[in-house]
Amino acid sequence: MTSPARCLLPFTLLALLTGCSSPGYYPQLAAGQWQLLKAREPVARVIADPQRDPHLRERLAGAQAARTFASKQLHLPDNQSYRVYADLKRPYVVWNVFATPAFSLDPVTHCFPIAGCVAYRGYYEQGAARGEAALQRQQGLDVYVSGVEAYSTLGWFDDPILNSMLSWGDERLASLIFHELAHQRLYVKDDTEFNESFASFVEQEGSRQWRAHQGLPAPDTRSEQQREAFTGLVLTTRQRLQTLYGQPLPEAQMQEHKDAEFEHMRQEYRRLRDQHWPGNTRYDAWINAPMNNAKLLPFGLYDQWVPAFSALFKHVDGNWQAFYAEVERLAKLPAARRKAALRRWAAA
């Protein structure tokens, strides 16, 4: 299974100057962002260079068609982001570290002046991420480290297509571009769930329209149905754990019940897989690996409000401009009222 935390970390170099995060964290952010900026080159130049790898040139040409579609048809920002390319010589651009208390699903947040408070910390070196994870485990926290293929600087820089994004097929690459440009289109400080769910909806609906634009048949829905069923299972487990953690139980008993909930999730997964996906083991490695609260965080971040945005999109008859206007209206609401409105749309 690929990591669900694939495109977070919307920081800029200006954010390195101040903030609530520890001072020792900032130098690696500055160095990593600077390395990325230096590695950029225009996609058009790569495509036009016969000395470059033909497969790379072909992939980038397809990505540029999707990039143009994003601005013209999905009304996403029309700028130089994803019209430049950078090869960082590694499989991920950053590694994100998620953490929660042992008996809570509330993430340990980290605050920055531009991005606001987010539910993770990003590191440009895997070793640094693992070191931070080890320190947080020593504090008794549940910790999860996840590689990230792409991220947005919210339009502060010309974000590149990265070599890490090319590990996916053409359609997946296009959807990543849609997702990242959605972050540039709208971003709400201190509300990761809103931001990621919004971008995930734009990614999903944009991908559907992109296929139709190319005259491709609708994709095989079995894979999407499996993903939705698996995500639903994880989110149900989160709800069960949330109920559990609200009970006044002794620590030892709480841990016993927590372990039982994770084992229940594994058993439900195996039943689901064997009854409905015989022979498909795409989620086995993830489900059978060590489990904790932090490992469930990315699912809530990416999926919680997607049904609400889907309902809102249908309400405006699929008009992207009207949809963005409604989402901007929601974004201006106080956090409590915004979540209440999203719950109403999700119920619809």
Side-chain angles (χ1 to χ4, degrees):
M1 177 192 175
T2 56
S3 164
R6 58 196 180 278
C7 39
L8 299 170
L9 194 72
F11 295 125
T12 73
L13 289 180
L14 294 178
L16 305 179
L17 301 179
T18 59
C20 304
S21 200
S22 59
Y25 175 66
Y26 290 122
Q28 68 88 27
L29 274 186
Q33 181 67 47
W34 179 241
Q35 178 196 25
L36 188 150
L37 293 175
K38 290 195 301 179
R40 295 178 306 174
E41 55 183 325
V43 167
R45 187 170 68 192
V46 177
I47 295 174
D49 186 353
Q51 302 301 316
R52 303 296 286 267
D53 175 44
H55 181 63
L56 172 63
R57 295 165 64 198
E58 181 181 357
R59 294 296 308 283
L60 291 178
Q64 292 310 279
R67 176 65 183 84
T68 299
F69 177 85
S71 293
K72 290 188 175 181
Q73 303 299 324
L74 307 182
H75 299 280
L76 292 169
D78 188 4
N79 53 34
Q80 289 303 306
S81 287
Y82 310 108
R83 292 190 172 105
V84 290
Y85 171 69
D87 185 353
L88 299 178
K89 314 296 184 184
R90 58 179 186 262
Y92 298 108
V93 57
V94 293
W95 286 262
N96 279 346
V97 180
F98 297 87
T100 71
F103 303 124
S104 172
L105 291 169
D106 294 333
V108 175
T109 57
H110 307 276
C111 299
F112 303 86
I114 295 174
C117 296
V118 294
Y120 48 84
R121 254 184 166 187
Y123 292 83
Y124 284 92
E125 294 184 2
Q126 187 177 25
R130 288 175 173 173
E132 173 64 17
L135 290 174
Q136 297 200 38
R137 289 190 187 98
Q138 289 178 3
Q139 300 173 32
L141 298 173
D142 279 12
V143 184
Y144 178 56
V145 179
S146 177
V148 178
E149 299 130 355
Y151 71 82
S152 173
T153 59
L154 307 181
W156 284 82
F157 299 103
D158 296 335
D159 295 321
I161 296 173
L162 299 164
N163 65 293
S164 53
M165 298 166 67
L166 298 180
S167 61
W168 297 89
D170 289 340
E171 187 170 343
R172 182 74 190 99
L173 175 58
S175 69
L176 275 175
I177 292 173
F178 301 157
H179 186 110
E180 298 308 326
L181 287 173
H183 282 311
Q184 292 190 17
R185 181 68 176 76
L186 181 71
Y187 183 84
V188 180
K189 288 184 68 173
D190 304 333
D191 198 337
T192 303
E193 293 173 350
F194 181 92
N195 295 324
E196 294 303 334
S197 294
F198 164 70
S200 290
F201 170 75
V202 173
E203 169 190 335
Q204 293 169 20
E205 178 61 25
S207 297
R208 187 191 67 78
Q209 294 187 16
W210 173 233
R211 287 187 66 89
H213 176 77
Q214 297 176 95
L216 298 175
D220 187 338
T221 60
R222 287 175 296 181
S223 178
E224 182 64 20
Q225 289 170 351
Q226 291 169 7
R227 188 191 72 83
E228 290 179 356
F230 182 78
T231 298
L233 174 62
V234 175
L235 293 179
T236 297
T237 301
R238 281 172 54 93
Q239 293 171 358
R240 291 168 64 95
L241 287 169
Q242 192 77 54
T243 300
L244 170 64
Y245 296 150
Q247 299 178 16
L249 297 176
E251 181 174 334
Q253 190 175 358
M254 184 72 81
Q255 184 63 52
E256 181 180 344
H257 285 293
K258 174 183 176 181
D259 294 341
E261 288 295 349
F262 283 130
E263 184 56 34
H264 176 78
M265 180 176 69
R266 291 190 176 98
Q267 292 174 0
E268 285 298 298
Y269 164 73
R270 295 178 188 122
R271 181 190 60 79
L272 186 67
R273 178 198 61 192
D274 295 343
Q275 290 184 8
H276 301 284
W277 319 329
N280 190 316
T281 60
R282 63 187 289 194
Y283 297 114
D284 281 20
W286 189 91
I287 202 78
N288 292 323
M291 196 69 61
N292 63 34
N293 298 328
K295 193 171 181 178
L296 307 186
L297 281 179
F299 287 87
L301 295 178
Y302 276 87
D303 298 284
Q304 180 166 347
W305 301 122
V306 169
F309 289 116
S310 179
L312 183 56
F313 190 74
K314 292 177 182 177
H315 176 72
V316 298
D317 298 322
N319 183 303
W320 283 106
Q321 300 277 36
F323 171 71
Y324 293 137
E326 288 297 317
V327 175
E328 288 170 358
R329 183 185 62 79
L330 288 174
K332 294 176 182 177
L333 295 175
R337 290 180 58 194
R338 182 164 60 243
K339 288 190 176 182
L342 288 168
R343 290 190 193 98
R344 289 193 295 271
W345 281 113

